[in-house]
Amino acid sequence: MEQRAGRNYTRIAIVVLLTLGCLYVLKPFLAAILFAAAVVISSWPLYQRLLRAMRGRRSLAALTMTLTLTFLIIFPLSMVAYNLADDVARGFEELRTLVEHRELLPPGWIRDIPLVGESVDTYLRQLIASRERMVELAQRMVEPARRWLLAGGIMLGTGVAQMSLAAFVSFFFYRDGQALLDVIAVTMRKVMGEGAESVSHTVSQTVRGVMYGLLGTALAQAVVAAIGFFIAGVPAVPLLSVMVFLSSLVPVGPPLVWGGAALWLFAQGETGWGIFMVIWGALLISGVDNVVRPMLISRGSSLPFLLTLLGVLGGVIAFGFVGMFIGPVLLAVGYSLMSEWTGTADPIVRQDPT
């Protein structure tokens, strides 16, 4: 008996060491692998339908899904990252020229604000009366802000590289996914017993729900925002659209972007277009979050606000750009499993997929 227990402990130790060794080897690619796994799990039903339509040609179906991911997400992000440095540099050069060579005056619409407009206008005029001090302050602020935005562009470029690797990995996940699922199912049954199927179902439903909610809503808001920015004549539409895409991962993020665009329009004297931007942003851009997100998460598991915020921030710190998606997914899976084990799971999670 003691010898058998010793052999079991030895096997467990060997398995643990091999697992740690594999994770260490895969550490540089872990973010891309996790993102690819989340995308493949989310789109697996679509891949199955495509596979049936292509009469079981796994490689062709996997290639089609991979190319679709590339053209929908990676290609637009890569184009924005490629042009971001030039746009940022040009924008700050124009800002510096505006500060140094033009008369600094508050926009006229500020005086028209009811009750407080005249007081605010007077205060701003007094504040910018000392031209030299304002120029010096602006120049001190422009350079750090430019470096910060360029660093963001570098992070975006790194994210494009991570997503490209994830697309490459996803091809093999699609093509060999069924074999991988069989291996995982057998392993989970040996480790967890009868509860393995329930855990597997909870994980897949949670990943799909969170990915649909995060990625789908972000894409929808970015597209709607790009249309509004283009109609209103706001500059740097691709950059602002990407900012909407990224900020939509955090609640109340997009209003900071389209609200800033509306203020810019008001400052340019385009009061009508500024009002249009406010209405477009409040009803359509932010409205997407209230309509599309519940529809997309209707078969998954919603994540509390705090865990969503911590997932996005912690994911970025741990995995870089793609961590914005990986972090909330991992926390959602843990949250759903904990709720399942404690008997407090959302009834939606317990439903069978249709």
Side-chain angles (χ1 to χ4, degrees):
M1 183 68 67
E2 293 181 357
Q3 290 181 350
R4 181 178 300 177
R7 286 196 298 269
N8 289 335
Y9 289 141
T10 302
R11 291 175 182 174
I12 294 175
I14 292 174
V15 170
V16 170
L17 289 175
L18 285 175
T19 302
L20 292 176
C22 292
L23 289 176
Y24 184 78
V25 172
L26 295 175
K27 182 180 178 181
F29 316 106
L30 190 59
I33 293 174
L34 289 175
F35 182 72
V39 170
V40 171
I41 292 173
S42 303
S43 58
W44 188 253
L46 178 60
Y47 169 73
Q48 290 294 308
R49 289 195 292 268
L50 183 62
L51 186 61
R52 288 192 294 269
M54 293 184 173
R55 299 180 180 180
R57 298 175 181 174
R58 292 184 294 117
S59 297
L60 182 59
L63 180 61
T64 302
M65 293 294 294
T66 303
L67 291 178
T68 301
L69 172 65
T70 301
F71 283 110
L72 286 180
I73 301 177
I74 300 174
F75 182 73
L77 283 179
S78 62
M79 293 300 296
V80 172
Y82 178 78
N83 294 312
L84 182 60
D86 291 339
D87 290 340
V88 170
R90 184 166 53 251
F92 276 101
E93 188 62 33
E94 292 178 359
L95 180 60
R96 179 180 289 130
T97 301
L98 177 67
V99 171
E100 293 179 350
H101 301 290
R102 298 187 184 181
E103 185 179 4
L104 294 174
L105 290 175
W109 57 269
I110 291 182
R111 181 178 290 273
D112 298 330
I113 299 176
L115 300 178
V116 298
E118 293 188 4
S119 300
V120 173
D121 182 77
T122 302
Y123 172 77
L124 290 177
R125 289 177 182 274
Q126 292 175 351
L127 180 65
I128 63 179
S130 178
R131 181 179 180 83
E132 294 180 357
R133 199 170 74 185
M134 283 295 298
V135 170
E136 181 182 357
L137 177 62
Q139 289 177 341
R140 285 204 309 266
M141 294 176 61
V142 162
E143 189 60 28
R146 186 181 69 87
R147 287 198 300 267
W148 182 82
L149 284 177
L150 288 178
I154 294 174
M155 187 187 74
L156 182 60
T158 304
V160 171
Q162 288 179 321
M163 285 191 170
S164 300
L165 179 59
F168 177 75
V169 173
S170 67
F171 169 81
F172 297 96
F173 280 174
Y174 282 123
R175 193 190 66 177
D176 306 321
Q178 192 58 55
L180 290 173
L181 286 176
D182 294 339
V183 172
I184 293 173
V186 172
T187 303
M188 291 182 65
R189 279 197 298 269
K190 289 186 176 182
V191 174
M192 300 181 180
E194 296 180 355
E197 185 176 352
S198 175
V199 171
S200 177
H201 176 69
T202 300
V203 170
S204 62
Q205 289 294 93
T206 302
V207 171
R208 287 172 190 168
V210 175
M211 285 296 290
Y212 291 166
L214 290 177
L215 190 56
T217 306
L219 285 173
Q221 285 189 301
V223 170
V224 173
I227 295 173
F229 294 148
F230 179 78
I231 294 175
V234 179
V237 173
L239 177 59
L240 292 177
S241 302
V242 171
M243 292 177 64
V244 170
F245 176 86
L246 300 179
S247 63
S248 67
L249 302 178
V250 180
V252 304
L256 299 178
V257 182
W258 60 256
L263 289 177
W264 181 86
L265 289 169
F266 282 123
Q268 297 296 313
E270 301 288 347
T271 305
W273 286 116
I275 296 173
F276 164 82
M277 195 72 252
V278 171
I279 297 175
W280 184 278
L283 297 182
L284 296 180
I285 301 177
S286 295
V288 166
D289 185 72
N290 299 324
V291 176
V292 175
R293 192 185 297 268
M295 293 173 57
L296 294 175
I297 307 183
S298 61
R299 288 291 177 180
S301 172
S302 60
L303 198 60
F305 168 78
L306 179 61
L307 289 184
T308 301
L309 182 61
L310 294 178
V312 171
L313 299 179
V316 171
I317 295 173
F319 300 108
F321 178 79
V322 297
M324 288 186 292
F325 307 100
I326 298 174
V329 168
L330 291 178
L331 289 184
V333 169
Y335 177 78
S336 297
L337 290 178
M338 182 180 65
S339 301
E340 183 79 16
W341 290 334
T342 57
T344 60
D346 190 334
I348 291 177
V349 178
R350 296 175 182 169
Q351 294 177 355
D352 292 329
T354 57

